[in-house]
């Protein structure tokens, strides 16, 4: 297997967002990285500094662009934008959506919770897979024989990983292995995905209540629409 046939695309989740109200921000503009989120982005840029990265691309949302910027800068690359890497659409955008409070307590919203398999509250999982696979393919083609970083959002990253690993798309959101500033790395041989890896270069910076399996804590900063 020639090294020229191997390409790695790192799907990165953005860093922590400044969101003191705990709003499900989704695709809404105006949500930027917090100071901690910028530290996460810098940490991952340092982690990837010696890697053979020739292409950096991000979702158009500010938090993704700000996360990708130090990585592109470290490699002397222009930062590209791909609309297909955007967060999943969600009818609850702009609302609070915590445990025991907010949108879930309002009967008018219950109609959106009828089908978790599609899901009924937002962009269908399969549509996310289609656009994310296309974005992965574009990043792979831009970095043939090298590595690319594509900054996106938790749900689209987790769904396309589930598809690549042949798992069902519907899932418990609390069990997504896709923490803030994590890397889900797809290795291609030619056009075929041959392995998927996962790493958390900034794990020590992630608040404990946001790690996989942690119980939500009311009043803590939330990563909604992440």
């Amino acid at each position: 297997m020639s090294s020229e046939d191997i390409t790695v695309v790192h799907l990165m989740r953005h860093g922590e967002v400044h969101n003191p109200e705990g709003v499900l921000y989704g695709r809404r503009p105006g949500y930027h990285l917090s100071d901690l989120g910028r530290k996460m982005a810098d940490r991952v840029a340092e982690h990837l500094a010696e890697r053979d990265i020739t292409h950096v691309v991000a979702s158009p949302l500010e938090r993704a662009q700000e996360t990708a910027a130090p990585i592109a800068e470290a490699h002397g690359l222009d930062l590209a934008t791909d609309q297909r890497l955007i967060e999943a659409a969600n009818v609850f955008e702009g609302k609070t959506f915590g445990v025991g409070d907010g949108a879930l307590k309002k009967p008018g919203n219950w109609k959106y919770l009828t089908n978790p398999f599609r899901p009924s509250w937002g962009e269908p999982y399969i549509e996310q897979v289609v656009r994310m696979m296309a974005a992965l393919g574009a990043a792979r083609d831009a970095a043939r024989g090298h590595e690319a970083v594509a900054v996106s959002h938790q749900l689209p990253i987790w769904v396309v990983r589930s598809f690549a690993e042949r798992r069902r798309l519907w899932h418990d959101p609390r069990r997504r292995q896709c923490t803030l500033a994590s890397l889900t790395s797809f290795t291609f041989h030619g056009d075929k995905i041959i392995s998927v890896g996962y790493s958390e270069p900034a794990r020590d910076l992630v608040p404990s209540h946001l790690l996989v399996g942690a119980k939500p804590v009311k009043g803590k900063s939330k990563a909604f629409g992440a």
Side-chain angles (χ1 to χ4, degrees):
M1 186 183 297
S2 169
S3 62
E4 295 180 356
D5 297 329
I6 300 298
T7 308
V8 180
V9 179
H10 304 281
L11 269 184
M12 180 181 177
R13 184 183 172 192
H14 61 77
E16 185 189 61
V17 175
H18 180 66
N19 181 25
E21 296 81 18
V23 171
L24 181 76
Y25 37 79
R27 294 180 174 182
R28 292 189 162 213
Y31 285 89
H32 298 267
L33 292 183
S34 64
D35 290 341
L36 179 60
R38 293 181 186 278
K39 290 180 182 178
M40 292 176 181
D42 289 340
R43 170 71 63 79
V44 179
E46 293 171 5
H47 174 77
L48 296 173
E50 301 303 317
R51 301 297 290 261
D52 183 25
I53 292 167
T54 61
H55 181 66
V56 181
V57 62
S59 155
L61 296 173
E62 293 98 331
R63 57 193 185 271
Q65 294 276 316
E66 292 164 2
T67 299
I71 300 172
E73 182 179 359
H75 290 272
L77 300 171
D78 292 331
L79 174 57
T81 300
D82 191 331
Q83 182 72 29
R84 294 169 295 193
L85 293 170
I86 201 168
E87 173 65 289
N90 193 306
V91 297
F92 293 107
E93 284 182 16
K95 299 179 173 64
T96 57
F97 200 66
V99 176
D101 65 351
L104 282 179
K105 295 186 69 175
K106 299 177 182 179
N109 290 328
W110 295 349
K111 62 185 177 183
Y112 298 118
L113 305 174
T114 57
N115 185 359
F117 306 104
R118 184 179 184 270
S120 52
W121 54 82
E123 182 183 10
Y125 293 134
I126 192 60
E127 292 182 12
Q128 295 179 53
V129 168
V130 170
R131 64 176 172 84
M132 289 295 289
M133 285 297 293
L136 270 176
R140 174 203 64 212
D141 291 345
R144 286 275 183 186
H146 304 279
E147 300 183 33
V149 176
V151 181
S152 187
H153 307 267
Q154 186 190 56
L155 178 54
I157 294 172
W158 180 249
V159 169
V160 76
R161 176 182 173 182
S162 296
F163 176 79
E165 295 181 332
R166 300 184 179 182
R167 291 194 304 273
R168 67 191 186 204
L169 301 183
W170 59 273
H171 59 279
D172 181 344
R174 297 168 297 181
R175 301 301 178 187
R176 295 173 190 158
Q177 190 185 39
C178 188
T179 196
L180 293 166
S182 61
L183 298 172
T184 300
S185 302
F186 295 77
T187 299
F188 291 84
H189 178 214
D191 292 346
K192 182 180 179 181
I193 296 172
I194 58 172
S195 68
V196 181
Y198 178 77
S199 59
E200 298 175 350
R203 182 181 176 87
D204 61 303
L205 298 177
V206 178
S208 60
H209 67 283
L210 295 179
L211 295 171
V212 176
K215 295 182 179 180
V217 179
K218 189 173 182 180
K220 289 282 188 179
S221 173
K222 304 180 180 77
F224 293 143

